[in-house]
Amino acid sequence: GAVVSQHPSWVICKSGTSVKIECRSLDFQATTMFWYRQFPKQSLMLMATSNEGSKATYEQGVEKDKFLINHASLTLSTLTVTSAHPEDSSFYICSVAQGRWGPQPQHFGDGTRLSIL
Amino acid sequence: AQTVTQSQPEMSVQEAETVTLSCTYDTSESDYYLFWYKQPPSRQMILVIRQEAYKQQNATENRFSVNFQKAAKSFSLKISDSQLGDAAMYFCAYRSGSARQLTFGSGTQLTVLP
C-alpha cells in the first residue's frame, strides 16, 4: 500500500489565490520530508527540505515567501503556493526519507498537478 | 557538489529483449547510495533498484539488475525480458551517506515496442 499520501492530486485555480498541498507519511514518523517541482519531460528539482519542528531549508533560487512549508507534526508537511500565478503551474511531488541513515529509499507521493489560470 | 548524468534522453527496446540505461555520477565521497526510479505516465515515482557503494556485488531485482563500476563512477540499469509495462521515464539518483537529499539525473524515456 501507499507509504506517502499527497493531496490534492490536481488543482485548478485563479491567478492570485493560494493553494495548499498536503503530504502525509502513513507508515512511519518522518522528521524530514522533501518537496520537488517537475516540469514536463524534465527531472525532479528539489525545492526545499521540510524539517519537523523547525524552518524548512530552501534550495537556491526558490522563493521561501512564495512557497511556504510547514512541518508541524511527524507525519504531515504542507506546501502553500502563495498568490499563485500561471508561471507557478507545475507538477509538485513530496517525498519522505525513511530512516536517518542507510540505504533506505525516499518514498514519494503521487504528486499534485497545479494549474493556475 | 555531486552530479548525475544520464546521456540517453530516449531509448527504445523490443518487447522481450534486453536494454541497458546508462548513468554516471561525480562525487568525492566514499559512502553513498545509488538508486534507479521509474516514473510511468501516471507520474508516480517507483523505486526500481538500489545499490550501496560499499557493496561490490551488483544489485538485482527480478528482471532488473545494475552494473555498478565504482572506479568508473558508472551505474547502469539492465532490464531483461522487457515488458510493455516497463515503458516509463527512468531516473538515476545519488544520495550521500551523510545526507538525505537525492540528486537526480535528467532521465531516460524508455519506449517498449510490441
Side-chain angles (χ1 to χ4, degrees):
Chain A
V3 177
V4 179
S5 174
Q6 184 174 343
H7 292 282
S9 58
W10 196 1
V11 58
I12 302 173
C13 60
K14 294 181 179 180
S15 183
T17 58
S18 294
V19 179
K20 180 184 284 187
I21 303 170
E22 291 189 349
C23 181
R24 293 183 183 274
S25 177
L26 301 178
D27 282 3
F28 50 87
Q29 294 181 332
T31 57
T32 303
M33 296 186 182
F34 302 94
W35 288 96
Y36 296 88
R37 183 173 182 174
Q38 186 181 31
F39 291 105
K41 297 187 178 182
Q42 293 190 22
S43 188
L44 279 70
M45 180 190 75
L46 180 64
M47 298 175 64
T49 301
S50 173
N51 303 300
E52 187 270 335
S54 64
K55 292 183 178 180
T57 304
Y58 289 83
E59 296 300 303
Q60 191 173 7
V62 177
E63 300 177 59
K64 60 182 179 182
D65 294 331
K66 159 68 79 175
F67 301 99
L68 299 178
I69 291 173
N70 184 286
H71 194 152
S73 77
L74 287 171
T75 59
L76 175 64
S77 175
T78 61
L79 168 68
T80 301
V81 184
T82 62
S83 186
H85 292 283
E87 59 266 29
D88 299 323
S89 298
S90 190
F91 190 68
Y92 295 88
I93 312 175
C94 71
S95 73
V96 174
Q98 181 180 3
R100 186 168 179 82
W101 311 114
Q104 289 85 350
Q106 286 187 17
H107 299 278
F108 289 83
D110 288 344
T112 298
R113 184 173 300 177
L114 176 61
S115 297
I116 309 298
L117 304 177
Chain B
Q2 296 83 15
T3 59
V4 178
T5 302
Q6 293 180 249
S7 59
Q8 307 154 315
E10 298 178 348
M11 290 282 285
S12 63
V13 62
Q14 207 73 34
E15 194 175 5
E17 295 296 311
T18 296
V19 64
T20 299
L21 308 184
S22 300
C23 173
T24 59
Y25 57 96
D26 187 25
T27 184
S28 59
E29 299 177 327
S30 59
D31 180 27
Y32 55 87
Y33 308 95
L34 297 165
F35 305 87
W36 278 98
Y37 281 89
K38 166 185 176 181
Q39 189 180 42
S42 66
R43 302 192 80 170
Q44 181 184 15
M45 292 290 285
I46 302 167
L47 176 68
V48 175
I49 200 165
R50 77 187 86 172
Q51 175 80 44
E52 295 93 319
Y54 62 84
K55 288 189 176 180
Q56 293 184 336
Q57 187 173 9
N58 289 323
T60 62
E61 286 288 343
N62 301 313
R63 298 183 293 108
F64 299 88
S65 61
V66 299
N67 183 2
F68 175 47
Q69 300 290 326
K70 191 171 183 178
K73 296 180 182 176
S74 171
F75 183 60
S76 61
L77 174 69
K78 186 172 81 171
I79 306 174
S80 304
D81 186 25
S82 297
Q83 300 175 359
L84 295 177
D86 295 333
M89 180 74 88
Y90 285 81
F91 293 102
C92 178
Y94 170 101
R95 201 193 93 201
S96 167
S98 59
R100 292 179 170 183
Q101 296 94 323
L102 287 174
T103 300
F104 285 94
S106 56
T108 297
Q109 181 68 51
L110 178 66
T111 300
V112 180
L113 305 171

